[in-house]
Structure formats: C-alpha cells, structure tokens
Amino acid sequence: MFSNLVRPERFLEVLALLGLFLFCPLPYLVAGTPPAPESQLYDAVKSLPGLTTRRIQELSADLRRSFSKEVGTGETFSNEELELVGSVVDYGLFNEVDSRIISLAARKAWAASKLGAPTEELEELSEVLFMLPGAGVAEVAAASGALRTFKSSPVPASVYTEVINHALERSWRPVEIQGVSRGIVHAVELGLNPEKAALSMMIRVDQGLDGVSMERMVEEELSFIRSLEQPLTSSSPGDFESSAGSLPAGVAAFQGMGTAIEAGVPSQLAAEVAQAAIERHWSGEAIRAIFEGLIRARRLGLTLERLAVAFMIRMDQGLEGVPPRRMVEEEVEFVRGMEAEKLKRLHKFQKPIRDEVSYDVSRYDRAFPELRSGRRGLDAELASIRLEDARISLQREGEEEAVEETGIPDSTPPSAGPEAASKEAEVDAGPPPTTGEDEGKARSEKTLVDEGAEGAGTPEADQPEQRKVQVETDVDKAVEAPPPPRFVSAVPDDLVGQVYGEPAKDSAESFMVPPPSTPYRWGGNTRRGVDCSGFTKTIFQEQGILIPRVSRQQAEMGAPVDIDSLRFGDLVFFNKGGKGRITHVGMYYGNGKFAHATCSKGVTISRFFKNYYQTRFVCARRITRVVFVEP
C-alpha cells in the first residue's frame, strides 16, 4: 500500500493532501463548514491594530453575548457584515466607550444592515448609537437611509445631523424620519430656508400629526415656510426689529432665527432658541429682544451659549414686570462682565495679525465674481478659503510679471510707521452695499479709501484696482467695538503663535471646566453639545478665525506639521473605523496630550502618544492662513 502512495503518478496527489492538512484548520476539513460565528467575531476584533490580547478577549466576549442568538444558531457573517462590526468597534474604542455598549451598538448596526440600511452611513451613526442605546433597529435603519439622502443633497450638515439626532432622541417612527428627510430636501430644492423647514417639521412631528399623512404635513409646513419668506428676504436686523413685536410667537421665532443666522449666530443655537420660544409661548416682543441680544453679543465676542441659557432661565423664572429689552440688556451686561478679561486678551492677540495685513483685492474680485460676498453657511466658508488660495496665486503671478518687466520685485514700500500699518486690513470682495442710516453707521466705523471719484487726482485713482479698506483696529481702547469686516490673510510665521495664544487655550478649557465638560453630540457645535470638528471650529471661531466645519476639510487648511514639532493649537487628525479616511480631529494641547470630543467623556484630554491613538494618527496641520469672521 505504501508503495502505491509513492508511485510517481500519485506524487502530486500526496503533496496536495499534505498541503491541505498543513494550511487549513482541522474543523474546516471535518465537515466542510465555514468558520463558527464566534471565531469570526474574534477575528474581526483581532484585526484591529493597537489592541492588547486582554482587550481583544474582553471585546470578543461582549460581542458573543450580544450576538448570542446568531452564535447559538451557527449563523455566519459575510465579509461586509464583519467589516461593519469591526468599524463600529473601532469607533467605540476611539471614543473610549464601555465594551458592553460597543457590542450592543455593533449588533444593532448589523441588524439594521440586514434591513437594507447602507453600511457606510451606519458607521457614521455609530457615535449616535453609543449615545442613544435605546434607539430601535428599524429607526436606526431609517436614520441611516435618511443620512444617505441628505448627503447627496444640498442640505447643510449642520441641519441634517440635528434632525437625525432629534428624531432618534424623540423615538420618531421610521416613516416620520423618512418623510421629514425628504421634505427638507424638497424644501431646499424649492429655494426655501433649510433651517426653518427643519425646525417647522420637527416641531410638527413632536406635537403629533393627528391623523394627517406625512405627505400632507410636509406640504402644509412648506406652505407655511413659503409664507414667511417674503418678510425674511431682507437680512437687515432693522426690518426684524420694526415688525417682530406684533407677530405671533411662532412667526416671530422663525423670523428671529433667520435674522440671527444671517447675522452670524450659529444656526444650531438659533434653532434651539426659536424652538424654546415656540414651545414655551414667549411673546413676540420677548423673542425680538432676545434675538437682538444674541446678534449684539456675537458682535461683542461673547459666548453665545452662555447668554442663550441665561435668557431661557430668566424667561422661565418670569420677567416680573421688567420689559424684555431691559432684561436682555441686563443679561448681556452680566455675561460681558464675566468675560471682560477674555475679550481683552482676545483683542490683544488679534491686533498684531490685523496690523500686518494689507493687499490689493480687485484682481481676484474680477477673476472670481461668483466667490464674492453674500455667501452663507458652509459654502461661504469654503468659498472664502478657496478665494484666499486664488488670491495668493494671483498675487504671486503679479509679482512674477513685475519682476519680468522691471527686473525688481513688485513690492510696496513699508508704511510710514506702526500707526499707518495698524490702519490697514484686507477685505473679502469689499463691503456690502449700504444705504441711509446703515451707510452712515458703517462710515463711522471704518473709512473707505480710494472708492471711485473720491480718489480723483491721487495715484490710487489712476489705478482703480488698488482698492483698499481701512478699518478701526485699536480694540484695546474699546473692547465693545465691533470687529472689522471679514478678510483673509496669509499670516507670517512669526505671528502664527498669536493665533494659538492664551485666548484659544481659554476657549478650549471652557469646554471642560467647571465639570462636567461639554457633552458629546453628533453634529453639535455649541457648548450644549459638540462633536470633534465642532469643538475645533468653535475654538478658532471664538478667536475670530474661520475654518471649515468638517474634519477632512479642516485637514486641508494651513501647513503640515511633523509629529515631533507639534505645539499647542495644532490640529491632529485620525482615522477611526479603519477605512483610511480622516474621521476625527483634535487640538494638540502640549506635553504629549490633545483635546478632543468623545462619546464617553464629552470634551476631554487624552494622551496623544498612547499606542492606540498613534496607530490611527493620519497627519497634523498648523493654521497659517486666517479667515477673520465678519460681524
């Protein structure tokens, strides 16, 4: 028999048999069955980098308990399902979530995928599942489908993340989640305001549809929003001031929200105040005064979340005969007094940067007319950033042309001293048109130089493209002075440190002290709830600096920084979920630590050089290009 095995014609069969035993686990050969589900779950966790053996065993045990039904019946998982489970686990580990909660969220995401929910959106919703463990599988599936619908539409992320959060928190039915998401998309397609449409539908669903179909409800709310568009077409706060006092509470709230957003108040905060006004039946006069107060506080640089909470508490306690406008003034002055030292430091650190910048804006005005002023929301932010890239490119081209023609660089002689330098600042596409009283007020705050015929007979008049705007920058003398119009600036390297000064550290710490820290909220960008990129964006915005809202867009800002050269304020980016794309951002805090927002702890400080975070680190950026925010 042995001689038959070694016969030359059977030699290849013997080698194949040996290879099968050497390279395939024995259980696969016994019955020809796929791997057991518990082995698949173990392998999904083991494939994640940076985990200790003990941690792998702990997570695997919790996953087996969560998937006990599938383990008991021997149901196996596809590669796509295992990839989803592994991504959810990775999201949970990054957020330092308890392993039991991670495993429950992983099973819920898997079950939703069995209902046809898109896996990429389920991964993005992982952090919502960690925060809302009671959300149902059908609701999660509907929310992930709504997320995909929103992402392919022009609806701003700040709107749809709040809608999805709200829907899962309030346990909306799947049909309500789907109907509202389609209704908001349709509203934007009709040219209606997405914030107003979202708030209107959210309130309607929360109050109950009373037998009205989703299609009818959407139609009614869109008609209501359309009826509001006429008085809301003007962005002038004065129009709101003159009419809101006599309006019903609901209409006044929507009008005030729109006016506040136009004036730069974060849309999420404005929507929260509007919703509180409607649900708590504030008077039109009170609503008007409160939104006026938020707009004024934003121009003063105050913390709007703190002021909004103060307004709500005061309204809940009752005004006791105090006129709403006086109440607002009292609360604004109270918060202003609390933050006087912060404002003083902020202006001190901003002043050297503003004093440094001055350039010709006309060339890229003409080259990129579609990027001029009047933009709103995230598109405005990104357009301003792209505008700066275009400006620098055109400026360099102009310098090169001057060198070719004259043989010397085209440079402007230094100003006649620091006083002259402190008066110059650039603007993004020039100031908006003003008339009447507004124009007089604007001219009292800044002096326009070389605007058309006013500059006749001067060297600048012969070169209309040399249009500049001088602004008041002596903020040390008047803390309450409104900041200058939005302008962009490539900040010199020796001044970059000013951006990351004490005011920025104060802003970061204000998210964490006094305990508890600001809670995590997917899509949040206020101190009532914030996510990772909302945290970093808010810190910079409170220094008067504008950066994009999304982490992967923030990673395109500034200059790359080597890991050994990190300093406070540098943005550090990570890949959680294992898909190779940037999905998380934090701010380097110094001493090997970074501040970021996590599901388990809210805003917190973690060890940057901890093995787990280093395995997910992608890059670091230093903001060297500044977009100051207009008042």
Side-chain angles (χ1 to χ4, degrees):
M1 180 177 176
F2 179 77
S3 60
N4 289 336
L5 287 175
V6 296
R7 288 171 57 186
E9 57 269 24
R10 304 200 60 186
F11 184 68
L12 293 178
E13 296 179 16
V14 173
L15 286 180
L17 187 61
L18 288 173
L20 191 62
F21 276 99
L22 287 174
F23 297 106
C24 295
L26 184 61
Y28 288 47
L29 300 174
V30 173
T33 59
E38 58 266 32
S39 298
Q40 290 184 298
L41 295 172
Y42 180 86
D43 291 340
V45 176
K46 187 178 179 181
S47 66
L48 301 177
L51 298 182
T52 64
T53 301
R54 179 178 178 181
R55 189 66 167 140
I56 293 172
Q57 293 173 345
E58 176 186 348
L59 285 164
S60 300
D62 283 327
L63 283 174
R64 284 198 301 272
R65 282 190 285 270
S66 295
F67 286 90
S68 58
K69 179 180 178 181
E70 290 71 34
V71 170
T73 59
E75 181 178 348
T76 58
F77 306 100
S78 67
N79 291 334
E80 292 77 11
E81 292 170 345
L82 289 174
E83 186 177 347
L84 172 62
V85 170
S87 294
V88 174
V89 171
D90 205 26
Y91 270 78
L93 291 172
F94 198 98
N95 284 278
E96 303 180 32
V97 178
D98 180 78
S99 61
R100 184 179 60 86
I101 296 177
I102 293 175
S103 62
L104 291 173
R107 191 192 186 284
K108 190 170 295 181
W110 168 83
S113 71
K114 302 291 280 186
L115 296 178
T119 56
E120 181 179 336
E121 282 68 26
L122 286 171
E123 292 174 9
E124 291 186 47
L125 286 174
S126 296
E127 289 158 326
V128 181
L129 300 183
F130 301 144
M131 301 298 294
L132 301 173
V137 172
E139 289 73 17
V140 170
S144 63
L147 179 57
R148 170 159 291 191
T149 299
F150 278 129
K151 286 166 60 179
S152 61
S153 75
V155 178
S158 59
V159 173
Y160 65 69
T161 51
E162 179 61 25
V163 170
I164 291 174
N165 259 319
H166 186 91
L168 292 176
E169 286 175 343
R170 303 293 181 97
S171 301
W172 285 7
R173 295 175 299 150
V175 65
E176 294 170 338
I177 298 173
Q178 295 164 351
V180 169
S181 63
R182 288 194 294 265
I184 296 172
V185 171
H186 185 49
V188 174
E189 292 172 347
L190 294 175
L192 301 178
N193 183 286
E195 287 90 357
K196 301 186 191 76
L199 181 59
S200 179
M201 294 183 198
M202 287 162 58
I203 293 175
R204 181 72 179 272
V205 173
D206 288 345
Q207 292 176 341
L209 300 183
D210 295 328
V212 176
S213 67
M214 286 300 302
E215 292 76 10
R216 176 68 181 276
M217 182 277 290
V218 168
E219 185 179 320
E220 291 175 353
E221 297 307 313
L222 293 184
S223 297
F224 170 68
I225 297 301
R226 191 180 291 108
S227 70
L228 296 176
E229 288 299 292
Q230 186 63 35
L232 291 175
T233 52
S234 171
S235 61
S236 170
D239 294 342
F240 170 56
E241 295 171 8
S242 63
S243 61
S246 60
L247 292 174
V251 177
F254 279 100
Q255 185 172 354
M257 179 182 71
T259 305
I261 292 173
E262 290 289 309
V265 176
S267 59
Q268 190 176 82
L269 181 64
E272 287 181 3
V273 174
Q275 185 171 5
I278 295 171
E279 293 179 344
R280 303 179 190 188
H281 307 290
W282 295 351
S283 68
E285 182 184 3
I287 294 170
R288 178 190 65 187
I290 286 171
F291 277 112
E292 286 176 6
L294 289 174
I295 293 170
R296 179 177 174 233
R298 192 247 177 206
R299 291 172 176 167
L300 294 175
L302 302 181
T303 304
L304 298 184
E305 296 91 338
R306 176 178 290 172
L307 186 61
V309 172
F311 288 154
M312 292 181 187
I313 292 175
R314 189 74 178 269
M315 291 296 295
D316 288 344
Q317 291 175 343
L319 299 183
E320 298 179 352
V322 176
R325 188 179 294 273
R326 180 180 169 187
M327 177 274 291
V328 166
E329 289 295 328
E330 291 174 353
E331 298 302 326
V332 168
E333 290 304 313
F334 173 72
V335 174
R336 184 177 171 189
M338 293 176 62
E339 300 189 339
E341 188 63 27
K342 182 198 89 169
L343 295 174
K344 184 177 179 180
R345 288 197 301 268
L346 170 61
H347 293 312
K348 176 184 176 182
F349 277 89
Q350 283 185 357
K351 189 175 185 296
I353 301 174
R354 287 179 174 150
D355 290 351
E356 190 74 18
V357 294
S358 175
Y359 64 82
D360 167 28
V361 299
S362 61
R363 294 186 68 209
Y364 67 86
D365 277 359
R366 295 193 301 271
F368 300 92
E370 73 279 5
L371 297 182
R372 299 189 61 148
S373 60
R375 302 173 299 271
R376 301 294 175 190
L378 180 60
D379 290 339
E381 301 171 10
L382 297 179
S384 294
I385 294 163
R386 296 190 189 103
L387 188 63
E388 166 64 2
D389 293 336
R391 184 197 68 78
I392 292 175
S393 176
L394 288 171
Q395 187 179 48
R396 288 174 178 169
E397 290 175 6
E399 292 172 354
E400 292 171 359
E401 291 172 1
V403 171
E404 291 176 359
E405 294 175 2
T406 66
I408 59 174
D410 181 18
S411 59
T412 303
S415 303
E419 292 183 2
S422 67
K423 291 290 184 178
E424 294 185 347
E426 59 189 352
V427 298
D428 178 4
T434 56
T435 58
E437 182 178 342
D438 290 336
E439 181 177 1
K441 182 179 179 181
R443 289 182 178 272
S444 68
E445 297 173 352
K446 58 188 177 183
T447 303
L448 300 183
V449 178
D450 186 30
E451 284 189 315
E454 290 183 9
T458 65
E460 289 83 357
D462 297 330
Q463 299 179 6
E465 67 275 14
Q466 300 295 325
R467 173 168 52 85
K468 296 181 181 180
V469 174
Q470 295 182 338
V471 297
E472 197 68 43
T473 59
D474 193 7
V475 290
D476 289 332
K477 295 181 180 178
V479 172
E480 70 275 14
R486 174 182 296 170
F487 63 87
V488 291
S489 150
V491 181
D493 186 64
D494 61 338
L495 289 177
V496 171
Q498 305 287 1
V499 176
Y500 305 131
E502 293 178 12
K505 183 164 286 189
D506 290 344
S507 291
E509 291 179 350
S510 69
F511 279 89
M512 295 175 271
V513 292
S517 65
T518 300
Y520 181 89
R521 184 174 180 82
W522 181 63
N525 62 353
T526 74
R527 282 177 176 77
R528 297 168 67 84
V530 68
D531 65 6
C532 64
S533 56
F535 168 63
T536 53
K537 182 182 186 300
T538 301
I539 290 177
F540 279 97
Q541 185 166 325
E542 290 182 351
Q543 316 318 309
I545 299 166
L546 190 62
I547 63 175
R549 174 64 178 86
V550 183
S551 59
R552 61 180 175 272
Q553 295 167 339
Q554 292 180 7
E556 299 173 359
M557 295 287 292
V561 182
D562 186 76
I563 193 172
D564 297 325
S565 304
L566 290 170
R567 68 187 186 194
F568 173 78
D570 291 340
L571 298 179
V572 286
F573 298 91
F574 302 88
N575 162 37
K576 59 185 178 185
K579 294 299 180 65
R581 59 178 183 267
I582 290 173
T583 53
H584 190 78
V585 60
M587 175 175 283
Y588 189 70
Y589 213 72
N591 299 321
K593 298 178 180 178
F594 72 104
H596 61 142
T598 66
C599 294
S600 60
K601 300 177 182 178
V603 177
T604 187
I605 294 178
S606 300
R607 287 183 291 137
F608 178 75
F609 294 105
K610 183 179 178 181
N611 183 47
Y612 181 81
Y613 289 120
Q614 276 196 294
T615 60
R616 276 110 178 124
F617 174 72
V618 177
C619 65
R621 307 287 290 190
R622 181 167 296 155
I623 303 301
T624 57
R625 186 173 303 158
V626 172
V627 182
F628 282 99
V629 184
E630 64 183 344

